[in-house]
Each structure stands twice: as structure tokens, then as C-alpha cells.
Amino acid sequence: MTTRSSEYTLGERICKARDASGLSTAQLARRLGIKTSTMQSWESDRSEPRSNKLVLLAGVLNVSPTWLLVGRGSPPFAEDHDNTDLDSMKVALDRVQKQAQALADEIAMLQERLSGS
């Protein structure tokens, strides 16, 4: 059974978005200009951010304020945790590597032509 974003608390959604952003609690607090203990209070649902900090928090975490408050909208992560993103990244990486090799081959050919003239 998958838990929907709307079933999480504000603090849990902040934690999930922070984790998806790859930030520590201290790093996020620093970006927001608040104390780490304040961020910890938000994440543990002991207190809530004021509206101006909530908007800033949403921007830093790349989610909407509505998602943070009530869980509506796009979460910052895939809730079903499948390997779709990983697979698409591997395909894209393979494509880019082939393009890089083709460019390297073309550069080598042009350099040979230039040195031969």
C-alpha cells in the first residue's frame, strides 16, 4: 500500500522534500536563514513556518507551498519508487556517450585533414 502525500504531516512532507533535494537539515536551515533547531521543530511538527518562510522553503525545495501544506500537487519524488528514472538516465547516458564518440571521431578526422594540408 502506497501512502499518499496528503496523508503525511507538514513536517513529514518537509523531510521528504529535503531528502529528495539531497540537503541536510542544517544545510536547509542555513539557506533559509533560520536556526537548525527551528528546522528540526518544523520537521517534527512541534511548530510550523510562517507564511513567508513557507513560500521560501517551497522554493528552495522545488515544491509548491500547497504541496507542503496539504499534500496536493506534485511531490518532489516518485512515490512508487520504481526504477523508471534510473532506466531513462541510463538510456540518456548511452545516447550522450555515442554522440560524444561521434564528435571525437569527427574532430580527429578534421585534425588529420588539417595536418595533412
Side-chain angles (χ1 to χ4, degrees):
M1 184 174 135
T2 302
T3 306
R4 295 182 325 184
S5 295
S6 60
E7 295 171 358
Y8 293 116
T9 66
L10 170 62
E12 289 170 330
R13 283 189 292 275
I14 292 171
C15 283
K16 291 188 178 304
R18 179 182 52 75
D19 288 342
S21 296
L23 297 171
S24 70
T25 303
Q27 289 170 324
L28 181 55
R30 207 170 310 120
R31 286 193 183 182
L32 296 172
I34 62 172
K35 294 179 180 179
T36 302
S37 59
T38 301
M39 179 57 63
Q40 291 168 338
S41 292
W42 295 351
E43 290 185 348
S44 62
D45 293 308
R46 290 191 308 262
S47 66
E48 294 181 355
R50 292 184 179 175
S51 60
N52 61 328
K53 290 295 184 183
L54 181 80
V55 171
L56 185 59
L57 178 63
V60 170
L61 296 175
N62 200 27
V63 295
S64 72
T66 305
W67 183 84
L68 280 177
L69 284 172
V70 295
R72 269 191 248 131
S74 298
F77 53 90
E79 290 190 351
D80 53 357
H81 299 293
D82 58 22
N83 289 328
T84 305
D85 287 340
L86 186 59
D87 291 340
S88 65
M89 284 178 20
K90 286 178 181 176
V91 168
L93 180 60
D94 185 51
R95 185 186 77 246
V96 170
Q97 285 175 327
K98 287 177 182 173
Q99 290 171 343
Q101 185 59 52
L103 283 172
D105 292 344
E106 187 174 350
I107 289 169
M109 182 192 69
L110 290 170
Q111 285 176 329
E112 283 179 32
R113 286 178 60 194
L114 281 173
S115 58
S117 45

